[in-house]
């Protein structure tokens, strides 16, 4: 069941959507990292993100969990619309 929740969350949400910015398959940059506020260090695409300054990286579930202070499972449930 857990794997289904993560797959559903990734199918329903994108990193651009969580950040409230344009997304896509190509790598893009944010002006500020949402974690360390490093300038021009945060790169993302729909399925992955990374800050080259603080080292935060992962997928949409990792990003949502870190921004909201949730466990990965709780973040996946929220993104999947199960909470």
């Amino acid at each position: 069941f857990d794997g289904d929740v993560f797959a559903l969350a990734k199918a329903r949400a994108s990193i651009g959507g969580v950040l409230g910015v344009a997304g896509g398959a190509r790598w893009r940059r944010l002006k500020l990292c949402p974690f360390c506020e490093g300038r021009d260090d945060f790169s993302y695409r729909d399925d992955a993100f990374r800050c080259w300054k603080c080292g935060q990286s992962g997928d949409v579930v990792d990003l949502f969990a870190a921004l909201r202070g949730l466990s990965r499972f709780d973040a996946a449930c929220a993104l999947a619309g199960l909470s």
Side-chain angles (χ1 to χ4, degrees):
F1 175 74
D2 288 358
D4 294 339
V5 171
F6 287 95
L8 185 58
K10 291 175 187 180
R12 290 189 175 177
S14 69
I15 289 175
V18 168
L19 294 172
V21 296
R26 293 180 33 205
W27 285 98
R28 299 173 185 260
R29 288 191 178 242
L30 277 185
K31 291 285 185 199
L32 293 175
C33 170
F35 304 106
C36 72
E37 298 184 1
R39 297 184 80 63
D40 295 321
D41 292 312
F42 190 86
S43 300
Y44 72 95
R45 60 184 186 205
D46 280 345
D47 64 345
F49 75 93
R50 177 179 174 92
C51 176
W52 299 96
K53 182 175 181 183
C54 69
Q56 282 272 21
S57 64
D59 60 21
V60 68
V61 177
D62 296 316
L63 178 66
F64 193 78
L67 290 174
R68 299 285 176 100
L70 301 171
S71 70
R72 277 186 44 80
F73 182 76
D74 289 342
C77 288
L79 290 170
L82 302 175
S83 61

